[in-house]
Amino acid sequence: MSCKLIAILLCIHLASGQTVPSFVPNSLKRFSNGTNFTSLLLVDRALYVGARDLLLKLDSADIESNKGLYTSLSLATNSDQKEQCISTYYDEKLCSNFIKFVLHRPSFKDLYVCGSYSFQPRLFQLSYDLNLIKEDDGYGYCSLNPMDSSTAIWIDNGNPMNIPSLYSASYLDASTKTQPVEPVIYRPELRRADKSFHYLRSPKFDSDWLSQPHFLKSFDVDDYVLFFFREKSVEQVAEAQDQNYARVVRVCKSDAGALKLGNLWSSMRKTRLTCVYNNTYLNRLEDIVRVSADLFVGLFSLRLPGQSSVSFLCEFSKESLLNGLNSASNSFKEIMAGTQYWSKVSDNRIPKNFPNQCNYNSQLLKDDVINFVKTHSLIGDHIEGPIIHFVNKHAISVAHERLDLKLVNQAVFPLETLPGTDITVNVFYFGTDDGKIIKMSSYDSQKVIAQWNLETNGIKQLKLKKDKSLFAISDDSVYQVELNLQCSKYYTCGLCMSDPHCGWNIRTNLCESIKSNSNLVNLNTNLCSRLERHENIKSVEVESGSALLLECNVKDQYLFGLIEWKKDQISITTKNQNVFFTWNKDLIILNGNASYNGVYNCYADKHELLSSYNVVYKSDATKSSLEISSSGQKCITAESYIKQYNNWCDEYNRYHRALNDWEEMKDKLFESRQKLMSLNVTNVYIRFKTN
Ligand SMILES: *[C@@H]1O[C@H](CO)[C@@H](O)[C@H](O)[C@H]1NC(C)=O
Ligand SMILES: *[C@@H]1O[C@H](CO)[C@@H](O)[C@H](O)[C@H]1NC(C)=O
Ligand SMILES: *[C@@H]1O[C@H](CO)[C@@H](O)[C@H](O)[C@H]1NC(C)=O
Ligand SMILES: *[C@@H]1O[C@H](CO)[C@@H](O)[C@H](O)[C@H]1NC(C)=O
Ligand SMILES: *[C@@H]1O[C@H](CO)[C@@H](O)[C@H](O)[C@H]1NC(C)=O
């Protein structure tokens, strides 16, 4: 009866797998004394992390260490505030102090921290050792409701009279049952001695300016502060589409407001960002990073019809962003009178001397300019960025690392790049909504180098300490991945060479960190195929009609999806019902004969040979008795096998048991490869007795 199971067993082990090296990082460090971690900030060796009711200073060399640098500061709200919060907002879970940002102010040598503080946002000015210097009201600086987004940036230079200031985007109030919520882009009052500039903000409750935005990041870019977010599109209302658009807003740092504008910005403009995939505009901006002074990279996600989401990285040059936001001529938009349609404002309606850049004195603006500014913020159709990477997952955060490498050892193979060639590689890390980190690089923009599984929920933020560590946070943990300790996880030359942190040691055939050994070949996947070792081909003689197991020697589970078997250089598929793959990518041939003679190679990652067999079937004297009755069946299934060779059932049971044993070893395999060796399945032939 167990014989019947064989067919089923073989079927469920058919190839189905990942196509990505996927593993838990080596020496992964985790800190989880706290919840709702946010806002990673690196200042020298310290890693500051915001959490619920808590601010932490961790040692970036070892976040698990609670000695030395480690400090924590409780920033909990008192019980009165908490009770008041609960009675007003009902949801106790939100009535705590969720830290929304932790900023460094180098010129003040301090930290500037804002927390939701039971719906009464509060600002804390702290020393590097987390001593409280001052605290203040935080309305407008960060959102009241911890579920509402916010972003902020400290700007030292370029403001009126060069007075340093915070710029923020947040929600000014919180959702109660009756009140709509009010988003704002804000700069508080600037004061120096007897001079002051009143606060500036976006218009109140005006969806043309901000429409249910989800704020992401803010940047200091030349004369401007840029805010990136996504929001409900106003332009689409007419077509009754409920769509979110990615946006960038600029304000001028030098904006000093104007009497006739009240407290409104004179310089606020917004436009749409997108990139195009398969004739579809991508709209859901998830995160954005500045890769260099002149380049930004946006992370977009797209939900596919089958409910799963995929992600894209798209490039936006500073030039394209500023051009898109500044060219007022013929590109402002407004609602056509009497309709709901947005159209371009014709040039002749734009006031003369309308400022395109920040080089104007807002307090001297003419009335016609002021009136125009009051009613126009949307500009241009959209700014489109090219796609540079694609990830088959829903990524929600991204980090960037620029590596300047010297290809030292290409001289070993004289045809390669000249030794000493300097190259720059951009490496991107994607944090996914299901707790994974994906690594890609500009060396091969199509290839996923590695997928690290952190076994947590969404990776909300990533931060890099260049060339050393990657920090990640989810709601329940802070993680530290040592970038130079991952190399030994790449078991093949090709995977190793595609990671810019690693190189292949051609003497030992091992993958090592380029930091640890300068004698490695790196970023040269072409070389790998030339390192194939054909002398390892094994000769296999086998009787016709018997079953044969050929081992691939896959060293780690993540390689399973990258395995391909070839016979005489032609890919083997399981279309032939006599051919099966085991769960660990070994090849089984049932009932073979001379037509199966040939060289069988098992490759990882397309061109890396893991094992090679020269198989020869001997014609057998008892062959005729082995032949399947000509019942019209072309392919033998396990069941017909059993029917015809009843007396082989014992062998099948043994085979079945062996498969079960392998199955059990599957999990243990990765704990200890030793145990696999002790299973002693190397070059096992499963022969079925003929008597
Ligand atoms: C805080 O973390 C918990 C999980 O630990 C999560 O369910 C909750 O949504 C988080 N709250 C906020 C405001 O992020
Ligand atoms: C985390 O909490 C545990 C148990 O409360 C404690 O033993 C440990 O020292 C804490 N670690 C740090 C870094 O505070
Ligand atoms: C492109 O879109 C079309 C229609 O929406 C779809 O059938 C096709 O599979 C898409 N192609 C890719 C590569 O996503
Ligand atoms: C060998 O096996 C194949 C099917 O697997 C069959 O088509 C072929 O006739 C066999 N050849 C000989 C010589 O038995
Ligand atoms: C593995 O099998 C071979 C041949 O059957 C035998 O010589 C060897 O001792 C076995 N090794 C172990 C560890 O059982």
Side-chain angles (χ1 to χ4, degrees), residues 35-36 94 98 146-147 457 460 475-476:
T35 59
N36 296 98
L94 300 178
F98 292 84
M147 303 303 277
N457 41 21
K460 297 199 297 188
D475 267 333
D476 59 21

Side-chain angles (χ1 to χ4, degrees), residues 393-413:
K393 282 245 167 219
H394 187 185
I396 54 174
S397 54
V398 64
H400 163 259
E401 181 183 30
R402 179 192 150 111
L403 292 178
D404 295 306
L405 302 172
K406 218 178 238 318
L407 297 181
V408 208
N409 286 294
Q410 310 309 67
V412 179
F413 295 86

Side-chain angles (χ1 to χ4, degrees), residues 229-508:
F229 56 99
R230 56 176 190 261
E231 66 171 358
K232 219 168 158 173
S233 73
V234 281
E235 304 97 298
Q236 294 290 313
V237 168
E239 283 101 65
Q241 284 194 25
D242 186 14
Q243 215 173 26
N244 278 284
Y245 279 176
R247 298 286 196 198
V248 58
V249 153
R250 63 90 141 153
V251 294
C252 288
K253 293 194 269 188
S254 60
D255 196 337
L259 209 55
K260 288 187 175 153
L261 276 172
N263 289 88
L264 302 183
W265 296 99
S266 70
S267 60
M268 182 172 160
R269 291 181 191 173
K270 79 172 172 188
T271 190
R272 179 184 176 193
L273 294 177
T274 186
C275 44
V276 180
Y277 166 70
N278 192 16
N279 294 321
T280 305
Y281 285 116
L282 303 180
N283 294 318
R284 192 178 166 87
L285 186 63
E286 302 274 3
D287 196 3
I288 186 148
V289 284
R290 192 172 193 173
V291 163
S292 68
D294 297 327
L295 195 63
F296 293 83
V297 167
L299 171 67
F300 287 82
S301 68
L302 175 69
R303 172 161 290 183
L304 297 176
Q307 289 298 298
S308 67
S309 286
V310 294
S311 311
F312 302 84
L313 269 195
C314 307
E315 233 173 41
F316 297 93
S317 67
K318 179 179 87 178
E319 198 188 359
S320 71
L321 294 173
L322 295 185
N323 281 347
L325 286 161
N326 287 347
S327 55
S329 168
N330 214 14
S331 82
F332 270 109
K333 290 190 158 182
E334 63 183 4
I335 297 179
M336 260 179 352
T339 75
Q340 281 195 304
Y341 289 94
W342 288 75
S343 63
K344 278 180 183 163
V345 179
S346 59
D347 252 356
N348 58 17
R349 290 198 38 243
I350 295 175
K352 278 203 184 63
N353 306 322
F354 186 82
N356 276 329
Q357 288 164 11
C358 295
N359 52 357
Y360 66 96
N361 183 340
S362 60
Q363 291 170 334
L364 301 178
L365 287 176
K366 297 270 181 333
D367 282 3
D368 56 344
V369 174
I370 294 220
N371 288 332
F372 190 84
V373 157
K374 262 188 197 163
T375 47
H376 296 85
S377 68
L378 191 61
I379 195 166
D381 282 330
H382 60 257
I383 302 170
E384 191 181 315
I387 293 176
I388 56 167
H389 288 291
F390 165 79
V391 170
N392 197 7
K393 282 245 167 219
H394 187 185
I396 54 174
S397 54
V398 64
H400 163 259
E401 181 183 30
R402 179 192 150 111
L403 292 178
D404 295 306
L405 302 172
K406 218 178 238 318
L407 297 181
V408 208
N409 286 294
Q410 310 309 67
V412 179
F413 295 86
L415 292 179
E416 302 302 325
T417 328
L418 289 173
T421 306
D422 289 318
I423 64 159
T424 295
V425 178
N426 284 318
V427 180
F428 291 99
Y429 302 90
F430 301 81
T432 71
D433 69 341
D434 61 351
K436 298 178 176 13
I437 297 175
I438 288 169
K439 182 175 185 179
M440 295 184 89
S441 93
S442 56
Y443 170 67
D444 180 349
S445 64
Q446 309 275 317
K447 188 177 181 108
V448 171
I449 300 168
Q451 176 179 298
W452 299 327
N453 305 324
L454 301 192
E455 279 146 23
T456 181
N457 41 21
I459 306 288
K460 297 199 297 188
Q461 209 186 323
L462 291 166
K463 189 103 203 167
L464 254 150
K465 181 150 189 173
K466 191 170 148 39
D467 247 7
K468 282 201 140 51
S469 304
L470 177 67
F471 302 100
I473 44 177
S474 63
D475 267 333
D476 59 21
S477 299
V478 187
Y479 293 93
Q480 177 176 13
V481 175
E482 291 304 296
L483 296 172
N484 290 305
L485 294 181
Q486 306 314 315
C487 302
S488 62
K489 286 274 188 178
Y490 301 116
Y491 289 104
T492 78
C493 172
L495 293 171
C496 176
M497 293 251 204
S498 60
D499 189 326
H501 286 98
C502 308
W504 192 249
N505 185 331
I506 56 175
R507 280 177 208 88
T508 59

